[in-house]
Amino acid sequence: LILVLLSLNLFLNWRVAFWAAVGLPVSFMGAFLVMWMLGATINLISLFGLIIVLGIIVDDAIVIGENIYRHIEEGMPPLRAAVVGAEEVMWPVTIAVLTTIAAFAPLFFVKGQIGDFMSQLPMVVLAALSISLVEALIILPAHLAHLPIKQQASASAKPPRFRRLKLFREGMLHGFLPGCYERLLRFALRWRYVTIAIAVSTLIMSYGLFAGEVVERVFVQKMDSETIICALEMPVGSTGEGVRTRLKTLSNLAVSMPEVSNVQMFVARQYDIAGAGSMGMNDQSHLGQLVIELHAADVREKRNHRSSEALLTVLRDASRKLPGVNSITWDAMHGGPGGKAIHIRVTGAGFEELLTVVEKLKTELKGYEGVFDLDDDFDKGKREVQLRLRESARPTGITVGMLGNYVRSAMYGREARRITRNRE
């Protein structure tokens, strides 16, 4: 607020600058009220939205305040100048604010976890801009209506020590800067085709920087992570010992790396650590999980150690050699929304047809550079034999449960008799 006030004082009358700057806390308080009504909180995203509108909020107040002050300088009574000055620029200022609101409004329609995060941003921006527009059109002219008229303002001269600063500012605003602007404007109007050509060529050059990836595109920037998570899945029915053996192989590899500080292993259990949105804990014998803690990013940078992405590449290559594994996925914990980068849901009438479509999708996605850890949520179990009774067996009194018990006894044996000896 202080920096905005100092900046406005360099170019505006100090009274106009003060009342224009007052619109900043008023707009923020109004935005806080709207946030409270809609259940929003002060967090990283909402604060970022307030920073975005910090310089936009005072724009409409500057335009309206300066136009009112212009009429006062021309001799119009302050009350009349407040009404006329605000009415003259009311629609241009309103349209300017509405175009900014229209630029942020589409963020309301982003779906998924990214949408949950980003919805706070347009809410804060729209609330602050709307309140600032109301403040600039209604409250600001009411304050500027009490400005002194031109004769009174000149009579109340500033002290001598401020006179030189005032003369310098007025010389810059009314002499040097308008002169430079006029010469530039006359040149642009005289050479209008050259001006248009320069504008179009600048636009083409900026598009070339973007299309040629000189300016990179990063949606959610990934920082160097300090936690790597491995989720292992074997065929349904696999024993915990088999899961432990394969996790131990990966754990030994991770412990041998100088970048790793700690490795934690979960057998027959997986936790939703990365926040993918599934259940918090999953206990099944064919599942396993590794949580690998790395040294701090700045410590690894000083020691010229590998980044988390480089370690992930090494660990992925090693995990591909493990036998008897349905799927194994690696993930590094980063800030921002969790979950997979690409998530496709397939529905259909026939289950076999779904499996065929999923395999075709996975084959297609493998062709894209940067795609890894492809997996589906179909759990393949071990081979099984399904037994059914013949129709001729039912009159004999044999049931499916009896048949199952006989087969189980043949596979695993059966306790025939229990004999007590010395209380044992």
Side-chain angles (χ1 to χ4, degrees), residues 28 44-54 120-121 124-125 128:
F28 275 19
L44 188 65
I45 303 297
S46 60
L47 283 179
F48 179 60
L50 292 175
I51 292 173
I52 289 178
V53 298
L54 190 60
Q120 299 253 325
L121 181 62
V124 173
V125 172

Side-chain angles (χ1 to χ4, degrees), residues 119-301:
S119 62
Q120 299 253 325
L121 181 62
M123 181 195 305
V124 173
V125 172
L126 268 63
L129 290 177
S130 302
I131 298 297
S132 71
L133 180 62
V134 174
E135 192 274 340
L137 290 175
I138 300 176
I139 303 175
L140 178 65
H143 288 301
L144 297 183
H146 301 286
L147 288 177
I149 59 177
K150 185 178 180 182
Q151 291 79 7
Q152 294 175 350
S154 58
S156 58
K158 293 181 177 294
R161 60 179 177 272
F162 292 116
R163 232 175 251 157
R164 190 171 299 174
L165 179 61
K166 180 183 178 183
L167 291 175
F168 173 77
R169 187 186 69 177
E170 290 184 352
M172 287 287 294
L173 292 178
H174 300 291
F176 178 75
L177 291 179
C180 294
Y181 174 66
E182 182 183 355
R183 287 191 292 271
L184 178 63
L185 185 60
R186 289 184 182 277
F187 176 84
L189 292 175
R190 185 181 301 116
W191 300 92
R192 54 188 178 277
Y193 298 114
V194 176
T195 304
I196 295 174
I198 292 174
V200 173
S201 60
T202 305
L203 179 64
I204 296 174
M205 184 179 68
S206 63
Y207 175 75
L209 293 175
F210 181 71
E213 296 187 356
V214 177
V215 178
E216 296 182 358
R217 290 172 288 179
V218 178
F219 187 54
V220 178
Q221 184 177 3
K222 287 191 174 182
M223 308 298 291
D224 195 358
S225 176
E226 297 177 4
T227 304
I228 295 177
I229 303 168
C230 168
L232 181 140
E233 180 185 338
M234 295 184 66
V236 176
S238 301
T239 61
E241 192 59 38
V243 174
R244 183 189 301 274
T245 302
R246 288 155 180 79
L247 287 180
K248 192 66 177 175
T249 303
L250 297 175
S251 177
N252 292 337
L253 174 62
V255 170
S256 65
M257 296 177 173
E259 296 86 356
V260 176
S261 64
N262 178 46
V263 179
Q264 193 171 8
M265 184 167 62
F266 299 98
V267 179
R269 175 172 292 183
Q270 283 184 1
Y271 290 96
D272 182 23
I273 300 175
S278 59
M279 61 184 67
M281 183 178 69
N282 193 356
D283 283 331
Q284 294 188 51
S285 62
H286 67 288
L287 301 178
Q289 191 174 42
L290 278 181
V291 179
I292 303 173
E293 298 288 342
L294 308 178
H295 293 292
D298 52 351
V299 174
R300 281 184 280 128
E301 187 176 356

